[in-house]
């Protein structure tokens, strides 16, 4: 089993199941014969055997309490390396990058495990180190693209050398270890993944001209030294801690003259494709802009905010970040620093506000990153009901359900009426304050109108959807219309649908099956979209009613 | 001795000699033991009751220090020293007053070397001279080292754990195995519903939540319940995180992988392009007339060759004759039993209807239409003369009595078995009948003018469902349960056998051109055979939802129809081309509804009008319907 995991050998589904299985259709798993033969020649098999023998000898020595032998055996413990397997499974670097998703998720999970119990301490430490190194690389190369707060954990998507890499980290809580999980399997996977990730990290660091066992930039180090010199005795540990603080930039192996070179390199590439140049240039510009999203902003993280993900994201987009000195090492400036522009806070109220900075909830950072622009801050003040957090991984196709927030966001990205929302927001705030009744009413009417417009839009959209659906699928039953023109249309449609039904009768069995399957899938999709839209409508209506009631209560 | 024995004042020397035994053993005796002389020691006279105890406690100042001696039962008053001892013990001190636990200790065995030895034992000799055993061991080791058997430990090689693995990567050196490699699919990316703060419509309503909980974990569409949290602070850890990673691991190394071609077809392309029904007119489209009159299900119907009359046979034991154009019932011929089949003579010069009732076939002259024709028919039947020598016939030909003759019945053909179908030869003289039940003589061919019957087959395998005469050539088609056999009547041999691919054939019709046959079956299939093409069906249509009961071809138009138990008649366009290279074109044209399914039966028989593109259908609801 271990060998299969390490070598990445998996069963195949044969093309002719019956032929392979000697006529029976009982479910069995089939491996390729070649794969199994290939396992036999693996040099690591011998290493495994040696290890088995070693364990046996050791047990014997313990049993006879020959401590000298135990020591000698332990000294000569056979080790094995997985380099050649990594190289064999991923002949090119791109292949390795493509398969990095699982490796990263696993490493991030293992690095959160406690130091006792389920797996070796060395594994946990190694995972932690590799994960931190990778994060530092992402910061240095500014390759993070999307982040998503889900109920399972935080998803990140980075683009490394053109390959999208997605990984998930759990929230920083202690795990309750499930009993139905075989940790040995996970450990074997992790063993391979750590090796892979180490090599990938090495290569990535060198591609950026960074030193590989990463070192913090010397000037930054000077700044840090005096602060934690007393507290941390062990040098290696503190080194890792400082790295994981993610606050300082990394030391470069070569003087930082190479940035200009990169720019130079990019131009000829663009020049080659003449017709796509404009589009590409635009994209490039957008990307550059996205990369420098938080450039020049100074953030401060309050104590209750999850520090690591936020620091990681902000640093990825060029922002400066600091936190409370007691929280973790690596804090660069204090909460009282007047140059702070954004203060990330996750409590319902702020005790004492400092003028000149925004107090925001952490979702603002995530939403801004996903929207590729700094969103208006009004909706994210502490204590305010947050707007829904949408998944950046969903790209709506035609006919899918698009939540209205997404529509708003798209409009914002296009640069259309970005004021509308803020106005609304302001209006609502004013309503809450409840000062001027008349104005308020007018404004509310306006907002209601707007809402109605939105509803209408949604209805139209739905109607369209229904229409398309009808055209596609169902025999039409348009609500009664006595006008002749409609009747004609209806007749025509009926005729068409009947023709279609008759034609479907003539389809061959296999095609009919396929057709029915496709149509079923389509219908289900439409049904689900309609259901979501309906739910949304009901929710909006309920919300509106609630608002009205509140208002009446206030007036009374 | 008992623990108290020590503190006895020596003056009261009443020794109990029983020894250290449980005193319960003397519970039932008046004494508690024996003294030194062997006399009994008696218990105090009686145990004191509450009142005595109380009084004593009040009066006796020594009461609190009085205890009862366990062995003698006498009372003792504790002395001052004894009390003190007890108190010390209670405090946890030593019993001896003079003992001091905190004396300064003198350590005899300290690190300091004293001038005097602790023991006076003289030193061993072996402590002066070097050990021989050790010498031997050392010499062995030295020898081993000299011989190179023992080597110093190798210093650990310091290979860097990570280096540039892909430094010399060569895209051409990819192994062949990697061509077979199926990369694992990536984990699907999360949607809006997985957000910690999703839009409200993605949250599940209570009913949906209940449904989610009742579903099997494998068939859930979402593996989690969407939840909404007010702030990031409130989000808890996901309890199934490790499990999900583990499942992914298992998938990676245990799940069989297969390359699948994603079917990316527009469903519209799958629908075959057929000519529009509008272009294939004429065909029956609407229900024009309903013929009511039968009180039970109408099993069978037949149209006269002129297209003016219609005859139907029903389960209520009557045969009715209708005028097609007005839906009037012109005559009713009671026959007394279930009518299995009726067939109008296809010869326009003869006005005769064959009716299969029970075990006999009636030849009925309906007496409709041209008088001359009616008379000629009668004459034809009556002109028969009995041949000189009687030939043995499988059936009995009985001329009708006067009563029956008044009803129109001319001849009765007694079969002896239940007759299920009659059908005429297109010339109008011969007809064939099918009987039910086991044994031979299930298919008989009769000649009505000579009153002569014969059994063409010596042996027929299987159950006979229906028979048909070939419209052009001297062929005879017999449909058994699974297949259709085509016999050549002239040569008297089996010319071919058509395999229908159906479970149970119910009906059959022959194209007027004679090269195509359709078969309806009870498993709701319709098989179109092209006799020139193969013995397998050219096309199997599964357009009905229930069993097919009857099929029919139109004589002039390229139409065929099928009636089914789901109460519908489907009219199809079945164009047969003259050149052999072009296959027949089959297009369903119209689904005709109207019959109400009763008793799980819908349409029992269909027949086309001989000239017009009209179709008649007989239903289980006791009506006949005409669609034009």
């Amino acid at each position: 089993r271990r060998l299969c995991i390490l070598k990445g050998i998996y069963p195949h589904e044969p093309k002719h199941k019956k032929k392979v299985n000697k006529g029976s259709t009982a479910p069995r798993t089939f491996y390729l014969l070649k794969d199994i033969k290939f396992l036999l020649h693996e040099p690591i098999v011998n290493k495994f055997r040696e290890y088995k023998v070693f364990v046996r000898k050791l047990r014997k020595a313990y049993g006879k309490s020959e401590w000298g032998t135990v020591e000698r055996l332990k000294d000569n413990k056979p080790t094995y390396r997985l380099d050649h397997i990594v190289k064999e499974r991923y002949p090119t670097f791109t292949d390795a990058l493509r398969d990095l998703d699982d490796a990263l998720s696993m490493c991030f999970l293992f690095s959160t495990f406690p130091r006792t119990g389920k797996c070796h301490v060395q594994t946990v430490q190694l995972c932690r180190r590799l994960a931190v190194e990778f994060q530092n690389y992402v910061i240095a190369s500014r390759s993070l693209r999307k982040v998503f707060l889900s109920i399972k954990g935080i998803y990140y998507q980075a683009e490394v050398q053109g390959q999208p890499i997605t990984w998930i980290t759990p929230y920083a809580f202690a795990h309750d270890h499930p009993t139905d999980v075989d940790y040995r399997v996970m450990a074997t996977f992790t063993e391979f993944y750590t090796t892979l990730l180490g090599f990938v990290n090495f290569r990535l660091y060198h591609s950026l001209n960074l030193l590989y066992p990463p070192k913090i930039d010397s000037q930054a180090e000077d700044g840090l030294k005096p602060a934690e010199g007393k507290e941390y005795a062990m040098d290696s540990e503190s080194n890792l801690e400082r790295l994981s603080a993610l606050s300082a930039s990394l030391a470069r192996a070569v003087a930082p003259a190479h940035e200009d070179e990169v720019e130079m390199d990019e131009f000829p590439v663009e020049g080659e494709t003449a017709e796509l140049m404009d589009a590409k240039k635009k994209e490039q510009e957008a990307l550059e802009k996205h990369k420098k999203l938080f450039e020049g902003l100074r953030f401060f993280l309050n104590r209750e905010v999850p520090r690591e993900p936020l620091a990681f994201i902000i640093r990825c987009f060029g922002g400066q970040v600091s936190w409370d000195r007691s929280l973790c090492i690596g804090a660069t400036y204090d909460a009282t620093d007047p140059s702070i522009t954004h203060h990330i806070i996750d409590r319902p109220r702020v005790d004492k506000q400092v003028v000149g900075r925004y107090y925001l909830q952490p979702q603002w950072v995530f939403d801004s990153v996903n929207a590729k622009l700094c969103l208006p801050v009004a909706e994210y003040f502490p204590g305010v009901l947050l707007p829904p957090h949408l998944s950046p991984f969903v790209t709506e196709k035609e006919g899918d359900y698009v939540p209205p927030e997404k529509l708003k966001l798209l409009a914002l990205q296009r640069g259309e009426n970005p004021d509308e929302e803020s106005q609304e927001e302001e209006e609502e705030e004013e309503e809450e304050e409840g000062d001027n009744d008349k104005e308020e009413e007018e404004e509310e009417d306006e907002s209601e109108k707007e809402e109605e417009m939105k509803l209408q839009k949604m209805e139209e959209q739905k109607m369209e959807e229904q229409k398309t659906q009808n055209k596609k699928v169902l025999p039409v039953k348009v609500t009664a219309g006595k006008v002749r023109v409609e009747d004609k249309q209806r007749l025509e449609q009926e005729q068409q649908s009947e023709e279609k039904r008759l034609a479907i009768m003539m389809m061959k069995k296999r095609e009919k099956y396929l057709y029915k399957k496709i149509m079923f899938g389509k219908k289900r999709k439409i049904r689900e979209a309609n259901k979501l839209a309906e739910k949304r409508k009901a929710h909006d209506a309920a919300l509106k009613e609630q608002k009205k009631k509140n208002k009446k209560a206030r007036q009374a | 001795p008992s623990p108290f024995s020590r503190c006895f004042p020596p003056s009261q020397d009443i020794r109990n000699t029983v020894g250290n035994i449980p005193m319960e053993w003397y519970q039932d005796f008046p004494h508690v033991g024996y003294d030194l002389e062997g006399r009994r020691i008696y218990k105090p006279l009686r145990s004191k009751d509450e009142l005595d105890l109380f009084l004593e406690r009040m009066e006796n100042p020594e009461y609190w220090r009085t205890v009862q001696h366990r062995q003698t039962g006498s009372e003792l008053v504790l002395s001052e020293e004894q009390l003190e001892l007890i108190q010390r013990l209670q405090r946890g001190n030593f019993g001896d007053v003079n003992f001091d636990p905190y004396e300064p200790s003198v350590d005899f065995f300290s690190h300091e070397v004293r001038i005097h030895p602790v023991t006076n034992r003289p030193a061993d000799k072996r402590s002066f001279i070097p050990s021989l055993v050790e010498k031997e061991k050392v010499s062995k080791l030295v020898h081993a080292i000299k011989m190179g058997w023992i080597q110093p430990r190798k210093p650990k090689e310091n290979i860097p754990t990570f280096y540039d693995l892909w430094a010399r990567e060569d895209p051409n050196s990819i192994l062949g195995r990697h061509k077979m490699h199926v990369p694992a699919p990536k984990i699907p990316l999360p949607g809006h519903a997985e957000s910690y703060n999703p839009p409200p419509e993605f949250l599940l309503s209570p009913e949906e939540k209940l449904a989610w909980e009742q579903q099997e974990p494998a068939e859930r569409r979402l593996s989690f319940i969407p939840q909404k949290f007010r702030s990031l602070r409130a989000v808890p850890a996901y309890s199934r995180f490790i499990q999900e990673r583990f499942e992914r691991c298992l998938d990676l190394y245990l799940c069989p992988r297969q390359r699948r071609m994603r079917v990316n077809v527009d469903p519209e392309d799958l629908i075959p392009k057929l000519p529009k029904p509008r272009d294939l007119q004429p065909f029956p489209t609407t229900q024009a007339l309903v013929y009511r009159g039968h009180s039970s299900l109408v099993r069978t119907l037949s149209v006269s060759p002129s297209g003016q009359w219609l005859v139907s046979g029903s389960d209520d034991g009557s045969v009715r004759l209708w005028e097609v154009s007005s839906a009037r019932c012109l005559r009713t011929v009671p026959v007394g039993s279930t009518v299995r089949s009726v067939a109008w003579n296809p010869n326009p010069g003869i006005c005769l209807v064959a009716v299969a009732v029970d075990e006999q076939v009636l030849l009925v002259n309906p007496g409709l239409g041209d008088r001359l024709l009616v008379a000629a028919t009668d004459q034809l039947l009556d002109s028969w003369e009995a041949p000189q020598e009687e030939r043995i016939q499988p059936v009995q030909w009985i001329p009708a009595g006067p009563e029956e003759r008044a009803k129109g019945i001319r001849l009765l053909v007694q079969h002896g078995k239940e007759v299920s179908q009659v059908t005429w030869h297109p010339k109008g003289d011969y007809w064939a009948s099918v009987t039910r039940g086991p044994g031979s003589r299930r298919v008989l061919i009769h000649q009505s003018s000579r009153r002569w019957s014969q059994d063409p087959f010596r042996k027929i395998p299987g159950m006979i469902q229906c028979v048909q005469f070939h419209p052009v050539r001297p062929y005879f088609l017999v449909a058994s349960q699974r297949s259709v056999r085509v016999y050549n009547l002239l040569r008297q041999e089996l010319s071919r056998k058509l395999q229908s691919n159906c479970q149970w054939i119910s009906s059959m019709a022959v194209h007027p051109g004679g090269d195509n046959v359709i078969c309806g079956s009870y498993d709701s299939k319709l098989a179109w055979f092209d006799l020139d093409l193969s013995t397998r069906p050219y096309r199997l249509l599964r357009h009905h939802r229930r069993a097919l009961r009857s099929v029919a071809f139109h004589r002039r138009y390229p139409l065929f129809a099928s009636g089914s138990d789901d109460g519908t008649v489907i009219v199809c366009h079945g164009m047969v081309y003259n050149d052999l290279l072009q296959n027949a074109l089959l297009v369903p044209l119209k689904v005709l509804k109207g019959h109400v399914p009763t008793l799980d039966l819908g349409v029992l028989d269909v027949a086309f009008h001989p000239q017009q593109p009209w179709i008649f259908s007989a239903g289980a609801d006791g009506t006949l319907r005409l669609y034009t």
Side-chain angles (χ1 to χ4, degrees), chain A residues 87 91-95, chain B residues 168-175 179:
Chain A
K87 174 82 189 192
T92 60
F93 184 56
T94 351
D95 287 338
Chain B
R168 278 169 290 131
E169 76 180 24
D170 178 14
N172 300 325
S173 70
I174 294 168
L175 293 175
K179 281 169 196 159

Side-chain angles (χ1 to χ4, degrees), chain A residues 10 88 346 389 401 528 535, chain B residues 182 195 197 201 221 233:
Chain A
Y10 43 86
E88 188 182 80
D346 199 2
H389 181 59
Y401 172 71
E528 273 170 9
K535 258 178 159 178
Chain B
V182 185
S195 166
N197 185 11
E201 63 268 30
R221 297 209 72 203
R233 182 181 71 230

Side-chain angles (χ1 to χ4, degrees), chain B residues 250-536:
Chain B
L250 288 189
D251 280 353
L252 280 179
Y253 93 102
L254 284 181
C255 198
R257 298 188 197 167
Q258 185 183 29
R259 261 182 217 284
R260 275 246 175 106
M261 295 304 286
R262 184 111 189 132
V263 184
N264 207 355
V265 196
D266 186 16
E268 302 299 311
D269 294 345
L270 287 174
I271 300 173
K273 291 279 170 285
L274 295 174
K276 293 209 168 176
R278 218 180 307 155
D279 308 335
L280 300 174
Q281 272 168 349
F283 57 86
T285 51
T286 49
Q287 178 178 316
L289 286 172
V290 182
Y291 303 82
R292 291 180 205 279
H294 282 297
S295 56
S296 181
L297 48 93
V298 187
R299 278 204 187 270
T300 170
L301 69 92
S302 181
V303 194
S304 76
S306 60
Q308 211 171 349
W309 322 106
L310 182 68
V311 61
S312 65
S314 160
D315 264 14
D316 58 0
S318 67
V319 173
R320 280 173 191 259
L321 293 151
W322 313 83
E323 191 178 22
V324 166
S325 52
S326 61
R328 262 180 54 204
C329 178
L330 296 175
R331 283 182 65 183
T332 307
V333 182
V335 290
S337 183
T338 303
V339 181
R340 293 272 163 201
S341 169
V342 294
W344 205 297
N345 195 323
N347 189 349
I350 300 172
C351 184
L352 202 59
V353 177
V355 180
V357 182
D358 263 358
E359 300 186 343
Q360 50 191 332
V361 176
L362 313 176
L363 292 183
V364 179
N365 188 344
L368 299 173
D370 197 351
R371 287 245 176 104
L372 281 177
L373 228 150
V374 173
T377 308
D378 276 351
Q379 208 175 357
L380 184 78
L381 287 179
D382 292 339
S383 65
W384 176 75
E385 291 166 14
Q388 273 79 13
E389 72 262 29
E390 275 289 320
R391 281 196 289 182
I392 301 162
Q393 292 205 22
V395 295
Q396 267 185 304
W397 292 74
I398 307 165
E403 218 176 275
E404 290 157 334
R405 214 175 161 80
K407 283 197 264 177
I409 300 169
R410 296 294 183 264
L411 278 173
L412 291 103
V413 184
Q414 200 73 35
H415 277 69
K417 274 188 250 173
E418 197 181 333
V419 183
S420 63
Q421 194 208 357
V422 287
T423 177
W424 286 93
H425 189 267
K427 288 273 172 57
D429 194 16
Y430 288 95
W431 52 276
S433 63
V434 182
T435 57
R436 285 248 173 92
S440 60
R441 290 180 186 171
R442 274 181 286 172
V443 181
L444 297 172
I445 297 181
H446 316 268
Q447 192 178 11
S448 52
S449 59
R450 293 171 61 198
R451 300 195 186 177
W452 160 243
S453 309
Q454 56 180 343
D455 180 9
F457 304 115
R458 228 169 284 133
K459 186 172 86 177
I460 292 177
M463 261 161 80
I464 306 300
Q465 294 299 313
C466 60
V467 297
Q468 285 285 329
F469 284 100
H470 195 276
V472 195
R473 267 171 279 174
Y475 286 160
F476 188 60
L477 290 89
V478 180
S480 60
Q481 190 182 330
R482 291 281 184 89
S483 60
V484 178
R485 284 152 209 270
V486 184
Y487 292 96
N488 191 331
L489 287 177
L490 279 184
R491 291 215 201 127
Q492 303 200 329
E493 63 178 17
L494 178 68
S495 79
R496 80 180 38 158
K497 188 178 167 191
L498 307 176
Q499 294 292 343
S500 72
N501 292 0
C502 306
Q503 293 299 315
W504 198 306
I505 293 174
S506 64
S507 55
M508 170 178 62
V510 189
H511 191 265
D515 277 344
N516 295 282
V517 177
I518 51 174
C519 281
S521 76
Y522 287 122
D523 49 348
S524 67
K525 288 182 204 163
L526 188 142
W528 173 288
F529 293 98
D530 198 332
L531 294 185
D532 297 331
L533 213 63
S534 84
T535 58
R536 295 262 161 200

Side-chain angles (χ1 to χ4, degrees), chain A residues 1 10-11 13 83 88 90 93 102 106 151 155 203 346 363 389 391 401 506 528 531 535-536, chain B residues 163 166 169 177-178 182 190 192 194-197 201 203 208 221 233 248-249 253 257 588-589:
Chain A
R1 185 184 67 198
Y10 43 86
E13 190 76 7
D83 313 359
E88 188 182 80
Y90 305 108
F93 184 56
D102 292 314
M106 199 64 134
I151 52 172
Y155 285 88
R203 172 96 180 191
D346 199 2
Q363 197 189 322
H389 181 59
S391 165
Y401 172 71
M506 282 302 288
E528 273 170 9
K531 202 170 152 195
K535 258 178 159 178
R536 177 69 184 209
Chain B
Y163 51 92
W166 292 279
E169 76 180 24
R177 215 174 69 82
H178 282 276
V182 185
H192 296 314
E194 211 183 306
S195 166
Y196 87 101
N197 185 11
E201 63 268 30
L203 298 173
E208 282 170 329
R221 297 209 72 203
R233 182 181 71 230
R248 171 72 180 168
C249 286
Y253 93 102
R257 298 188 197 167
L589 294 177

Side-chain angles (χ1 to χ4, degrees), chain A residues 123-141:
Chain A
T123 322
V124 174
Q125 277 172 344
L126 182 65
C127 280
R128 173 77 187 149
R129 203 189 100 202
L130 291 170
V132 166
E133 280 169 8
F134 187 78
Q135 277 186 335
N136 270 312
Y137 166 76
V138 172
I139 289 175
S141 65

